[in-house]
Amino acid sequence: MSGIGKGVVTASLGAILKSCGFSVQIIKCDPYINLDAGTMNPFEHGEVFVTDDGTECDQDIGNYERFLNQNCSTHNLITTGRVYYTVINKERQMHYGGKCVEVIPHIPYEILRRIYLVRRLYKPDFLLIEIGGTVGEYQNSIFLEAVRLLKIRHSHDVFLIMVSYLPIPKNLGEMKTKPTQYSVRTLNEAGLTADMIIGRSEKSLDLPRKRKISVFCNVPIPNIISCPDASTSIYEVPIILEKENVTQQIFRYFQIRKKKADLTPWQQFINKKIKSFSREIKIGIVGKYFEIGDFALEDSYISVIEALKHAAFEWKCFPKINWINSEIFEKNPAETKNLKNYHGVIVPGGFGARGVEGKIKAIKFVRENNIPYLGLCYGMQLACVEFARNVLNFQDANTTEVNPNTKHPIIDILPDQKINLRMKNYGASMRLGVYDCLIKENSLAFQLYKQKLIKERHRHRYEFNNYYLKEFEDKGMVFSGINPQRNLIEIIELKKHPFFIGVQFHPELRSRPLNPHPLFIGFIKSTLNFNQ
Ligand code: GLN
């Protein structure tokens, strides 16, 4: 079922195999009709992650990148929508030569074509394919059918792992294997047999439990892997799995001579995290939030949270994150003074008008009170609007996303994006993926990145309006990063402030646990220097 950590398990297996010296690619099969995750509400579906090539996908791809410390591309994502879209288009082009095109076999064939494509493009030693959803449901059956065909074609090259949940009902206090037994049967009905079962549970699977699963599910005991909740971090999962000799069993199946996994970097990361607990820094993330609870919020902003942690552990401190609903500042502007209680404030990416005035009030407060500030995308745009209103005295300055009739459109839409909106062409049409950014020397950005040309990932439609550039500069704003091809503003910062930086892109998407992002490292460092 969803949420048991299939993504983390898959990514962790990839990380272990990579640490053995193998090259790894991972494909996510998502059983939804959307072509990508770009049109989905992050508060319902979780964060929209963006890859270098501008693919809008979900957090699993983010986890693959973080665990493998390598970039993914559009080829790493297969959705039901993508598969049907291609098949239907091919049918219109007479690709099937007048045949009746059917769900079986044409849909699984298209899935296989996409899998083979990754094999051909990247030639990985190991290709991991994660199938989303639950075995037995209607939605992902086309993917299971594709796996069945894969297994028939390459029986010795395909190893099937089932990730299964083992509940421990509170009233019993005992781990139950029955749901696993039944899901294995359901898998068998799809013509598949598991070569390995990874048991996800609150606690470790003991030997009696493993024996039981082995007998009822036809899997030898060494191939039943215990994967209890990690006590420190998801990045402990590779270590947990390898303690269970997961690679030994996989190598035995493929008859590969065993290579030793070197998980030292992950162990070092965990050690850093443990050390960080003694020093807490308070970070306020100001956004428009729905009443969905902290748990869902964590899902919607997972990359920001991850990036903060990666950087904070470098400084041996722990980021305590508070979600601050910007609407409270609209009802009661005096509340902004509570931002003094934070070591640093972030306004993350966002869309639409709700809560914007509150975010602007928050930015005004942190600017005037020298509180470290990091603005991510919308957070950068609104920092410009705030500056225009309160420093340049353009009272009604705004982004045209919120007020299309403002006299001072500080943030405005480019003509090509205007057409997209008029044509209701919303899918995959934002400014997406990596673009160049040239950094000015003698700037805070240069101090942090230590290089002149950087590439960062984008996901937005609106831009800083260069008409106002000079006036902003005269009053102390520095445009320290510019996209050279289109002359678009990428980074802003303030001279007279200990740490105030806004970026049009999403640095959080490129932060990795073993490779934290320089902007976040700088931000955390400034929060440590900030005396409340
Ligand atoms: N809504 C803004 C835009 O589309 C910012 C987007 C974002 O924060 N990702 O330009």
Side-chain angles (χ1 to χ4, degrees):
M1 64 191 203
S2 73
I4 62 166
K6 272 198 304 287
V8 170
V9 165
T10 313
S12 299
L13 284 172
I16 307 174
L17 291 168
K18 224 185 144 177
S19 84
C20 294
F22 291 110
S23 62
V24 176
Q25 282 290 324
I26 310 183
I27 296 178
K28 173 77 192 286
C29 297
D30 261 326
Y32 47 69
I33 302 286
N34 307 53
L35 293 184
D36 53 46
T39 49
M40 287 191 232
N41 180 347
F43 294 111
E44 276 169 31
H45 187 76
E47 173 188 86
V48 178
F49 190 82
V50 183
T51 53
D52 269 8
D53 69 352
T55 307
E56 295 171 292
C57 42
D58 72 16
Q59 318 164 34
D60 283 321
I61 303 273
N63 270 332
Y64 302 164
E65 289 203 346
R66 287 187 278 264
F67 276 86
L68 295 182
N69 201 5
Q70 82 190 25
N71 292 334
C72 289
S73 76
T74 189
H75 303 297
N76 298 92
L77 176 67
I78 306 181
T79 71
T80 298
R82 288 182 166 201
V83 171
Y84 273 85
Y85 191 82
T86 312
V87 171
I88 291 168
N89 278 329
K90 280 187 177 167
E91 183 276 320
R92 294 288 80 184
Q93 292 157 3
M94 287 297 284
H95 174 89
Y96 298 99
K99 281 212 184 76
C100 170
V101 184
E102 298 179 276
V103 173
I104 310 287
H106 296 107
I107 295 296
Y109 281 173
E110 170 56 22
I111 297 171
L112 291 181
R113 186 191 67 79
R114 287 170 176 263
I115 292 171
Y116 291 142
L117 181 66
V118 172
R119 181 177 69 169
R120 201 171 65 238
L121 287 176
Y122 302 102
K123 301 183 180 60
D125 297 324
F126 281 92
L127 174 52
L128 276 56
I129 303 167
E130 178 190 350
I131 302 191
T134 308
V135 58
E137 69 185 4
Y138 175 77
Q139 303 218 57
N140 62 9
S141 54
I142 53 165
F143 294 108
L144 295 182
E145 182 61 14
V147 173
R148 196 180 65 81
L149 297 177
L150 207 60
K151 191 97 185 173
I152 293 172
R153 289 188 193 176
H154 319 269
S155 62
H156 298 299
D157 286 339
V158 180
F159 187 75
L160 203 68
I161 302 177
M162 189 172 82
V163 182
S164 182
Y165 179 61
L166 292 109
I168 307 177
K170 279 255 149 26
N171 57 335
L172 298 177
E174 184 196 334
M175 186 183 289
K176 305 304 283 180
T177 62
K178 210 50 130 204
T180 300
Q181 295 175 33
Y182 276 91
S183 50
V184 163
R185 273 197 205 171
T186 316
L187 191 70
N188 294 158
E189 278 167 24
L192 297 169
T193 42
D195 297 303
M196 174 178 274
I197 293 176
I198 297 189
R200 280 281 303 113
S201 190
E202 236 174 275
K203 299 205 181 108
S204 301
L205 273 69
D206 54 13
L207 196 57
R209 237 51 55 162
K210 285 190 176 181
R211 273 202 194 109
K212 203 164 195 177
I213 297 174
S214 174
V215 169
F216 286 95
C217 305
N218 293 321
V219 175
I221 290 178
N223 282 13
I224 297 167
I225 305 291
S226 164
C227 186
D229 290 350
S231 57
T232 57
S233 147
I234 52 169
Y235 301 113
E236 201 187 325
V237 176
I239 298 167
I240 293 175
L241 292 177
E242 196 46 14
K243 269 196 192 128
E244 291 273 300
N245 295 324
V246 72
T247 48
Q248 184 182 307
Q249 293 312 109
I250 293 174
F251 294 159
R252 176 168 297 169
Y253 179 89
F254 289 119
Q255 298 183 357
I256 303 172
R257 193 158 351 116
K258 182 160 170 51
K259 291 195 188 180
K260 228 184 127 30
D262 178 13
L263 297 174
T264 328
W266 297 105
Q267 191 56 57
Q268 283 166 347
F269 180 84
I270 305 292
N271 296 347
K272 268 191 229 162
K273 173 164 183 180
I274 294 168
K275 275 194 199 129
S276 76
F277 286 128
S278 52
R279 183 167 190 192
E280 194 171 89
I281 45 161
K282 277 207 268 174
I283 307 290
I285 303 191
V286 183
K288 86 169 164 187
Y289 301 134
F290 299 86
E291 292 300 321
I292 52 173
D294 286 356
F295 191 68
L297 276 177
E298 279 174 25
D299 245 23
S300 320
Y301 292 99
I302 180 160
S303 292
V304 179
I305 301 172
E306 285 292 311
L308 279 170
K309 287 186 185 163
H310 305 161
F313 301 158
E314 286 297 302
W315 292 107
K316 296 199 183 58
C317 61
F318 190 83
K320 170 99 184 48
I321 295 164
N322 267 21
W323 306 102
I324 308 168
N325 190 342
S326 59
E327 282 168 308
I328 58 171
F329 301 139
E330 291 172 10
K331 289 189 201 106
N332 187 0
E335 290 266 340
T336 49
K337 70 171 187 306
N338 294 332
L339 291 171
K340 272 231 151 105
N341 299 329
Y342 293 93
H343 297 93
V345 170
I346 290 182
V347 172
F351 294 86
R354 205 159 76 95
V356 155
E357 288 303 319
K359 292 182 196 174
I360 294 174
K361 288 195 168 65
I363 296 170
K364 177 171 190 281
F365 188 84
V366 298
R367 180 178 56 77
E368 289 176 344
N369 290 277
N370 291 329
I371 300 171
Y373 175 72
L374 178 60
L376 304 170
C377 204
Y378 217 12
M380 168 269 193
Q381 297 178 351
L382 297 176
C384 295
V385 172
E386 188 278 321
F387 195 83
R389 286 188 192 176
N390 300 314
V391 180
L392 302 179
N393 276 321
F394 297 155
Q395 300 302 333
D396 89 326
N398 218 328
T399 157
T400 51
E401 180 172 357
V402 174
N403 177 8
N405 304 317
T406 171
K407 274 204 231 73
H408 295 288
I410 302 301
I411 305 294
D412 202 4
I413 194 159
L414 292 176
D416 47 338
Q417 283 297 343
K418 234 182 217 163
I419 299 171
N420 282 334
L421 292 188
R422 201 177 318 124
M423 307 294 284
K424 292 203 164 154
N425 178 19
Y426 300 127
S429 68
M430 288 191 223
R431 184 167 178 246
L432 288 168
V434 283
Y435 286 95
D436 288 349
C437 168
L438 264 183
I439 297 187
K440 279 193 193 135
E441 278 171 65
N442 298 325
S443 63
L444 174 60
F446 188 76
Q447 251 178 52
L448 300 173
Y449 279 99
K450 298 185 180 65
Q451 58 192 39
K452 279 197 79 169
L453 180 66
I454 56 155
K455 286 176 194 297
E456 290 282 5
R457 296 182 186 175
H458 296 70
R459 183 170 187 258
H460 60 110
R461 291 191 199 279
Y462 295 79
E463 309 283 344
F464 181 82
N465 184 347
N466 285 349
Y467 175 81
Y468 293 97
L469 212 82
K470 180 90 182 46
E471 278 160 288
F472 272 67
E473 277 177 340
D474 288 347
K475 292 284 186 191
M477 185 170 274
V478 180
F479 296 97
S480 54
I482 291 177
N483 169 257
Q485 286 85 13
R486 293 184 75 181
N487 204 22
L488 300 171
I489 298 301
E490 297 279 3
I491 310 179
I492 59 142
E493 52 191 77
L494 290 182
K495 269 190 202 135
K496 288 190 200 126
H497 194 287
F499 192 97
F500 190 104
I501 194 159
V503 290
Q504 184 54 85
F505 44 81
H506 290 275
E508 69 274 18
L509 301 178
R510 287 192 129 200
S511 174
R512 311 263 165 87
L514 304 184
N515 200 2
H517 194 285
L519 274 182
F520 281 87
I521 292 199
F523 174 64
I524 298 286
K525 184 175 177 222
S526 71
T527 65
L528 292 172
N529 298 337
F530 176 58
N531 293 321
Q532 287 184 67

